Amino acid sequence: MRIGLDILGGDFAPKACFEGVQLFLNEYQKPKVFLVGPPEEIQEGIRLYNLDVSRIEIVPAQEQITMHDHPVQAFKQKPNNTIAVGYGLLKHKAIDAFISAGNTGAMLVGASFMLPLINNVPRPTVGTYFPQKQGYAYLVDAGLNMDCKPEYLVGFAQLASTYMRTLHNIEQPRIGLLNVGEEASKGNALTKQVYELLSASNLNFVGNIEGRDLHNNKVDVIVCDGFTGNILLKHAESIYEFFKDQPGSELFNYELYGGAPVLGVDGLAIIGHGISNALAFKNMLIKSVEMVEKQLISNIKQHYANQS
Amino acid sequence: MRIGLDILGGDFAPKACFEGVQLFLNEYQKPKVFLVGPPEEIQEGIRLYNLDVSRIEIVPAQEQITMHDHPVQAFKQKPNNTIAVGYGLLKHKAIDAFISAGNTGAMLVGASFMLPLINNVPRPTVGTYFPQKQGYAYLVDAGLNMDCKPEYLVGFAQLASTYMRTLHNIEQPRIGLLNVGEEASKGNALTKQVYELLSASNLNFVGNIEGRDLHNNKVDVIVCDGFTGNILLKHAESIYEFFKDQPGSELFNYELYGGAPVLGVDGLAIIGHGISNALAFKNMLIKSVEMVEKQLISNIKQHYANQS
């Protein structure tokens, strides 16, 4: 098992990355970590954090895509950036997963341009955990796809269903379509069409859910367009800030969850939150190992192969 | 001043209506309340709640549009329903405002069909208060308009700006466009176009705001399509349920705010929450008096007249 990590990604990089790797290596015995970044910085991190060199590979990449770079332009202007180098390793199966908490747009551009789309997937997507009274539901799309066709949302549901089955052992994840009312006739032009398509699909579609149902354990997967999903995600994060010193609020602490995989591409790319701390990096490493062990990507390919 | 009230509207009608009227009449000396409903029920309410008959008018209406009725069909099948009768009074200026906590769809249908649209208003809208760290912002559209053209959102901004100026004495309300990022280039096809139009308008447009900015006092008016707004509104209500016993959560208690006026039509129709209790009815009556006194409808007409 080989996990790649961008040491220049995130607001607290590289310090938080090295601390996270240290915590991870101490707890998990097997996986190797491929650190992607300037070799001298990696060497210094290995020394400072006393990392076990037998479990580290140094992958040189001198350039950084910052939060201010335009994702597509940055790939051209900085060809030797950590994200491009990481995706290169992933594409050539030199690593099993690649993690970065860097420029989210660049991570998405890299996934789209450098990894093949799995057959019959309409669009790649990224989800996010939404806390429930017990446990979590998975909301897709969390912000990758703004203007969606109905079949995109069905694809998000297929991908998230496989994700929840694979990662959380839910045999038939309950799929809810985020909408303004329970009846099939409710909603905007998009959701009315998606309702029809989901009803006719092989998914465990339980119907529309409303804004009030986002935390009440009604479903395992919440499907919406990326515009709505992104706003809800950021709203939920701000709610955590609002109530952060109060019991119950820890459910809204997104830092604990680790990163989100790009779903639908043939390769495991995991996007971390920009504000990832050492704990978040450790959790991303742990989660990525779990996704590799549980064969998330193979399961998605198998799911789509079974349909066609 | 004459305020109309549907005594059959809301989950706790007519009891909560009469209790609210009682509280209102005791606190406010001048306005008359026109109770719309079956006369025998109103007579009984007057007796039971010891209402001052000199300040009550009984307006007979035998039929009720229930929560299960289809709004448009109900207007045809039940021509003598309380909502239609109330709108009839409003249209003919027999009352200055009409309040109902009944079927929301029917209230909106009534506003559209029985009241004229104010000149140059693209679409009527309904807003909702969103709690801020201090005070409130007004979010439009809260669920009336699902599939929106760009000019609708500019209209929502114009109406909500006048609402905040009139009701909250904010001379130049700060308008924020709800979006997925701050830059003009962010968003879906709709918000990109709305950004251009708002930038070119005479409004105090401060730019895009994100999901995390919904409670941080950045703006006075939050503009979005009704699909997004409805989901956010219901999400915020459920957050209140989640945290309801904790300090700070009272800000999310929507019952305290009273109802929401339909903006853009020539007549003051106020929609109450289905779960309105006595306090909510009292607050709706108080708010409607304030909207009449501050000449909300005239100000909206004036605002649009000045533009053309």
Side-chain angles (χ1 to χ4, degrees):
Chain A
M1 172 102 57
R2 305 145 305 165
I3 309 294
L5 175 66
D6 172 8
I7 70 142
L8 299 184
D11 299 349
F12 308 117
K15 186 169 181 289
C17 305
F18 291 124
E19 289 172 351
V21 171
Q22 185 185 47
L23 292 167
F24 173 75
L25 291 177
N26 290 340
E27 281 188 35
Y28 281 69
Q29 298 313 316
K30 276 188 296 187
K32 256 192 158 176
V33 180
F34 285 52
L35 297 174
V36 183
E40 58 283 12
E41 282 199 49
I42 296 173
Q43 290 289 6
E44 195 191 335
I46 290 171
R47 205 165 41 244
L48 277 173
Y49 295 92
N50 198 23
L51 305 180
D52 176 357
V53 288
S54 74
R55 296 178 59 200
I56 298 283
E57 291 279 343
I58 298 173
V59 182
Q62 288 296 346
E63 291 168 306
Q64 181 189 15
I65 299 183
T66 71
M67 301 320 257
H68 305 292
D69 282 324
H70 185 282
V72 175
Q73 288 167 9
F75 269 85
K76 290 178 191 156
Q77 291 159 357
K78 302 176 176 175
N80 191 35
N81 73 74
T82 49
I83 290 174
V85 170
Y87 271 113
L89 295 176
L90 193 58
K91 184 178 177 178
H92 296 104
K93 315 278 184 202
I95 52 178
D96 300 296
F98 174 57
I99 300 167
S100 175
N103 186 313
T104 301
M107 277 297 283
L108 297 169
V109 166
S112 296
F113 288 169
M114 297 187 67
L115 299 178
L117 198 63
I118 291 169
N119 272 344
N120 299 317
V121 171
R123 280 286 188 285
T125 186
V126 173
T128 187
Y129 286 101
F130 245 63
Q132 305 295 300
K133 278 174 186 163
Q134 285 92 38
Y136 296 96
Y138 210 60
L139 180 146
V140 280
D141 181 286
L144 180 47
N145 299 279
M146 288 294 117
D147 292 292
C148 291
K149 293 181 180 172
E151 57 268 30
Y152 297 0
L153 271 75
V154 178
F156 306 159
Q158 298 281 8
L159 292 165
S161 182
T162 305
Y163 178 84
M164 289 303 274
R165 184 165 52 76
T166 304
L167 270 289
H168 297 279
N169 304 311
I170 302 169
E171 198 48 50
Q172 293 281 339
R174 294 163 301 166
I175 311 291
L177 174 62
L178 187 58
N179 209 333
V180 300
E182 289 188 1
E183 304 89 334
S185 61
K186 291 278 177 157
N188 57 18
L190 176 66
T191 58
K192 287 176 194 172
Q193 292 179 70
V194 174
Y195 189 99
E196 296 296 318
L197 293 174
L198 285 174
S199 298
S201 75
N202 58 353
L203 291 163
N204 182 17
F205 177 50
V206 298
N208 289 332
I209 61 166
E210 300 182 59
R212 65 170 65 94
D213 302 317
L214 286 167
H215 307 288
N216 67 5
N217 288 97
K218 268 197 172 179
V219 297
D220 303 303
V221 170
I222 300 160
V223 180
C224 63
D225 67 271
F227 180 83
T228 308
N230 177 278
I231 287 166
L232 281 172
L233 161 62
K234 290 180 182 163
H235 186 215
E237 286 179 339
S238 76
I239 295 286
Y240 166 65
E241 289 295 313
F242 211 95
F243 288 108
K244 116 170 118 177
D245 301 322
Q246 297 175 25
S249 69
E250 65 279 3
L251 275 175
F252 287 90
N253 183 357
Y254 283 78
E255 292 165 50
L256 296 177
Y257 303 173
V262 183
L263 298 174
V265 290
D266 191 0
L268 188 53
I270 290 161
I271 302 178
H273 205 299
I275 56 167
S276 292
N277 55 17
L279 180 64
F281 278 104
K282 185 190 100 172
N283 286 338
M284 277 193 274
L285 287 159
I286 292 171
K287 281 297 235 179
S288 64
V289 169
E290 191 184 348
M291 290 179 212
V292 174
E293 283 177 343
K294 293 185 169 173
Q295 304 190 302
L296 174 63
I297 304 295
S298 300
N299 286 349
I300 291 172
K301 286 156 92 170
Q302 192 59 46
H303 175 89
Y304 272 96
N306 288 345
Q307 298 215 306
S308 59
Chain B
M1 171 101 57
R2 307 144 304 166
I3 310 294
L5 175 67
D6 172 7
I7 71 141
L8 299 184
D11 299 349
F12 308 116
K15 187 169 181 287
C17 305
F18 290 125
E19 289 172 350
V21 170
Q22 186 184 47
L23 293 168
F24 173 76
L25 291 177
N26 289 341
E27 282 188 34
Y28 281 68
Q29 297 312 316
K30 277 189 295 188
K32 255 193 158 175
V33 180
F34 284 52
L35 298 174
V36 183
E40 59 283 10
E41 282 199 48
I42 297 172
Q43 290 289 6
E44 196 191 335
I46 289 171
R47 207 166 40 244
L48 277 173
Y49 296 90
N50 198 24
L51 305 180
D52 175 357
V53 288
S54 74
R55 295 179 58 202
I56 298 283
E57 290 279 343
I58 298 174
V59 183
Q62 287 296 348
E63 292 168 305
Q64 180 189 14
I65 299 183
T66 70
M67 299 323 253
H68 306 291
D69 282 324
H70 185 283
V72 175
Q73 288 166 8
F75 269 86
K76 290 177 192 157
Q77 290 158 357
K78 301 176 175 176
N80 191 35
N81 74 74
T82 49
I83 290 174
V85 170
Y87 272 113
L89 295 176
L90 194 58
K91 183 179 178 178
H92 296 102
K93 315 275 185 202
I95 52 179
D96 300 296
F98 174 57
I99 299 167
S100 176
N103 186 311
T104 301
M107 277 298 282
L108 296 170
V109 166
S112 296
F113 288 169
M114 298 186 67
L115 299 178
L117 198 63
I118 291 169
N119 271 345
N120 298 318
V121 172
R123 280 286 186 286
T125 186
V126 174
T128 187
Y129 286 100
F130 245 63
Q132 304 296 299
K133 278 175 185 161
Q134 285 92 37
Y136 296 96
Y138 209 60
L139 180 146
V140 281
D141 181 287
L144 180 45
N145 298 279
M146 288 294 116
D147 293 292
C148 291
K149 294 181 181 174
E151 57 267 31
Y152 297 0
L153 270 75
V154 177
F156 306 159
Q158 297 281 9
L159 292 165
S161 181
T162 305
Y163 178 84
M164 290 302 276
R165 184 165 51 78
T166 303
L167 270 287
H168 297 278
N169 304 311
I170 302 168
E171 198 48 51
Q172 293 280 340
R174 295 162 300 167
I175 312 291
L177 173 62
L178 187 58
N179 209 333
V180 300
E182 289 188 2
E183 304 89 335
S185 61
K186 292 276 177 155
N188 56 17
L190 176 66
T191 57
K192 287 175 193 172
Q193 291 179 69
V194 175
Y195 190 99
E196 296 295 318
L197 293 174
L198 285 174
S199 298
S201 76
N202 57 355
L203 291 163
N204 181 17
F205 177 50
V206 298
N208 289 332
I209 61 166
E210 300 183 58
R212 65 169 65 94
D213 303 317
L214 287 167
H215 307 289
N216 66 4
N217 287 97
K218 268 198 173 178
V219 297
D220 303 302
V221 171
I222 300 161
V223 180
C224 62
D225 67 90
F227 179 83
T228 308
N230 177 278
I231 286 167
L232 280 172
L233 162 63
K234 289 179 182 163
H235 186 214
E237 287 179 339
S238 75
I239 295 286
Y240 166 64
E241 288 296 314
F242 210 94
F243 288 108
K244 125 168 111 177
D245 301 322
Q246 297 174 24
S249 69
E250 66 279 3
L251 276 176
F252 287 89
N253 183 357
Y254 283 77
E255 292 165 49
L256 296 177
Y257 303 173
V262 183
L263 298 173
V265 290
D266 191 0
L268 186 54
I270 290 160
I271 301 178
H273 204 299
I275 56 168
S276 290
N277 55 17
L279 180 64
F281 278 104
K282 185 190 102 172
N283 286 339
M284 278 193 274
L285 287 159
I286 293 171
K287 281 296 234 180
S288 65
V289 168
E290 191 184 350
M291 290 179 212
V292 174
E293 282 177 343
K294 293 184 170 173
Q295 303 189 301
L296 175 62
I297 305 294
S298 300
N299 286 349
I300 291 172
K301 286 156 91 170
Q302 193 60 47
H303 175 90
Y304 272 97
N306 288 346
Q307 297 216 305
S308 58

